[in-house]
Amino acid sequence: MTDQPATIRPGEELDIARLQSYLLKNLPGAKGDLEVLQFPRGFSNLTYLLRLGEQELVLRRPPFGANIKTAHDMGREYRILSALKPVYPKVPRPLLYCPDASVIGAPFYLMERLHGVILRNEPPRGLTPEVMRGVSHALVDALVELHTLDYQKAGLADLGRPEGYVSRQVSGWSQRYQNARTDDIPGLERAMAWLAENLPTESGAALIHNDFKYDNLMLAPDDLTRVIAVLDWEMATLGDPLMDLGTTLGYWAEAGDPPGLVSFGLTHVPGNLTRAELVAAYAERTGADVSNMVFYYVFGLFKVGVIMQQIYARYKQGLTQDARFGALIHLIREIGLMIDRALDTGKV
């Protein structure tokens, strides 16, 4: 039921000798021989399991071939975890940051290894509709807990610029799409124009995760309705919390959505909140005005589509050999269809 490492994908190997030497010199208590495996899931930063003597550690580094200036900042992600751990216990404990790219070819950081269940495409044992309902509500609770956190007290007041966040996000993701465009996807083109013409008033400022979804949550093996960790903080910043909720909705496929998106996760299985119910649950817990949620949902779909497009473009350019990335173009097209549906119906 827990995520297990596998052999390292071709082209994503690390220099084990240099890494072991660095760790023995810089990681307190480090001793013994180093073994490296890779967690095969995920589509962005690469995650490895290190076995160093009797220790188990997790290493995060940028993907090979990435050249996105504002993404994959290992030092920033390490700083966020370090600040959050005392006030938001649902994060792994960070252990060491290495800015020296000569060790493994890029900056990286280490964190503790946690053992838990991450919901991927295959449901684990015991995931009944009743449990699934509880997991849905646990996701909302963890998101609300993050959005109501005192980020100034946590020392993260300088993490981002909340004023003008929505406008910058729309223009920024539009530019990223234009830079990574490979195929004609009418829905994404439509979203780019519609979002720019329908910018809402900012709904407030909060610490936001920006990739809050099931496969970035680790659940307790003995109680799947309890979140023990939120993972993958590379896009966290300060901004409009409804934009964060919109990203979650962008990943939240339901029964009746295009087949590729439905098969991409477990949000469609019986017991889950629908997108409308998820929005209602968030509003109930926070008091947020969600009357314009279609804007944030369309933004979430567009952003998810652009993320996939960037990864697909790297695959097309031969910068990664991960065969999963070649199939992303089909999901991108389906996201375009979902954008059209949302704009035509005015519903999430």
Side-chain angles (χ1 to χ4, degrees):
M1 291 177 62
T2 59
D3 259 23
Q4 297 299 318
T7 56
I8 298 175
R9 283 189 293 263
E12 296 180 352
E13 297 87 353
L14 306 181
D15 188 328
I16 293 179
R18 289 179 66 90
L19 179 57
Q20 178 174 321
S21 176
Y22 180 86
L23 296 180
L24 293 177
K25 292 177 182 176
N26 294 279
L27 181 65
K31 58 182 178 180
D33 294 329
L34 177 64
E35 177 189 8
V36 180
L37 298 169
Q38 186 177 32
F39 290 102
R41 307 288 188 155
F43 287 86
S44 186
N45 288 334
L46 304 179
T47 308
Y48 300 82
L49 174 67
L50 309 186
R51 292 185 175 131
L52 184 62
E54 297 183 356
Q55 285 184 284
E56 284 196 335
L57 312 162
V58 173
L59 182 149
R60 290 262 288 172
R61 62 147 290 159
F64 290 82
N67 60 357
I68 306 167
K69 294 180 180 179
T70 58
H72 314 296
D73 186 337
M74 297 294 98
R76 185 176 184 274
E77 193 169 334
Y78 181 81
R79 179 204 165 194
I80 292 171
L81 292 179
S82 300
L84 277 180
K85 187 61 179 177
V87 295
Y88 187 76
K90 296 182 176 68
V91 295
R93 187 178 307 283
L95 300 173
L96 178 69
Y97 169 60
C98 174
D100 184 357
S102 70
V103 179
I104 63 169
F108 67 90
Y109 74 88
L110 298 179
M111 57 185 168
E112 66 175 330
R113 187 191 183 186
L114 298 175
H115 293 270
V117 176
I118 299 177
L119 298 184
R120 307 285 189 185
N121 292 355
E122 296 296 328
R125 295 185 303 274
L127 197 63
T128 63
E130 292 75 22
V131 172
M132 192 76 258
R133 195 77 169 179
V135 175
S136 291
H137 281 288
L139 175 141
V140 177
D141 289 340
L143 185 61
V144 169
E145 183 182 355
L146 177 64
H147 288 173
T148 54
L149 181 74
D150 187 340
Y151 59 81
Q152 292 185 333
K153 187 176 180 180
L156 293 171
D158 62 344
L159 189 64
R161 296 179 292 127
E163 186 175 352
Y165 178 79
V166 175
S167 176
R168 291 197 309 274
Q169 286 292 292
V170 169
S171 61
W173 284 102
S174 295
Q175 186 62 55
R176 293 183 189 100
Y177 179 61
Q178 291 168 348
N179 292 342
R181 184 192 281 115
T182 57
D183 297 57
D184 183 25
I185 312 292
L188 268 67
E189 302 287 346
R190 182 182 179 188
M192 193 161 45
W194 185 86
L195 290 168
E197 295 169 359
N198 291 273
L199 293 172
T201 304
E202 305 274 348
S203 72
L207 177 63
I208 59 179
H209 181 273
N210 265 328
D211 206 22
F212 207 94
K213 53 194 174 78
Y214 276 156
D215 60 358
N216 278 332
L217 301 184
M218 183 174 285
L219 310 176
D222 59 346
D223 180 5
L224 297 179
T225 67
R226 182 167 64 89
V227 176
I228 61 175
V230 179
L231 308 174
D232 196 355
W233 291 85
E234 68 172 294
M235 293 194 288
T237 190
L238 304 182
D240 188 327
L242 292 184
M243 295 286 272
D244 209 10
L245 179 59
T247 298
T248 299
L249 294 174
Y251 284 108
W252 202 272
E254 300 176 359
D257 288 348
L261 296 179
V262 169
S263 67
F264 200 60
L266 296 180
T267 58
H268 66 285
V269 304
N272 270 292
L273 296 170
T274 64
R275 285 187 292 267
E277 288 172 336
L278 193 155
V279 171
Y282 180 90
E284 180 182 0
R285 289 161 171 80
T286 62
D289 178 1
V290 295
S291 58
N292 193 25
M293 204 63 222
V294 170
F295 174 89
Y296 302 98
Y297 174 47
V298 170
F299 168 78
L301 287 169
F302 178 67
K303 174 181 163 183
V304 171
V306 175
I307 291 171
M308 292 183 179
Q309 181 63 49
Q310 289 175 318
I311 298 168
Y312 178 69
R314 290 210 312 271
Y315 175 82
K316 289 277 285 185
Q317 294 163 11
L319 297 174
T320 175
Q321 300 178 42
D322 191 334
R324 297 174 303 156
F325 297 168
L328 288 179
I329 189 61
H330 306 296
L331 296 178
I332 297 166
R333 291 194 178 103
E334 290 186 346
I335 287 173
L337 296 177
M338 292 297 293
I339 290 171
D340 283 333
R341 181 196 293 181
L343 292 178
D344 290 342
T345 65
K347 296 179 181 179
V348 300

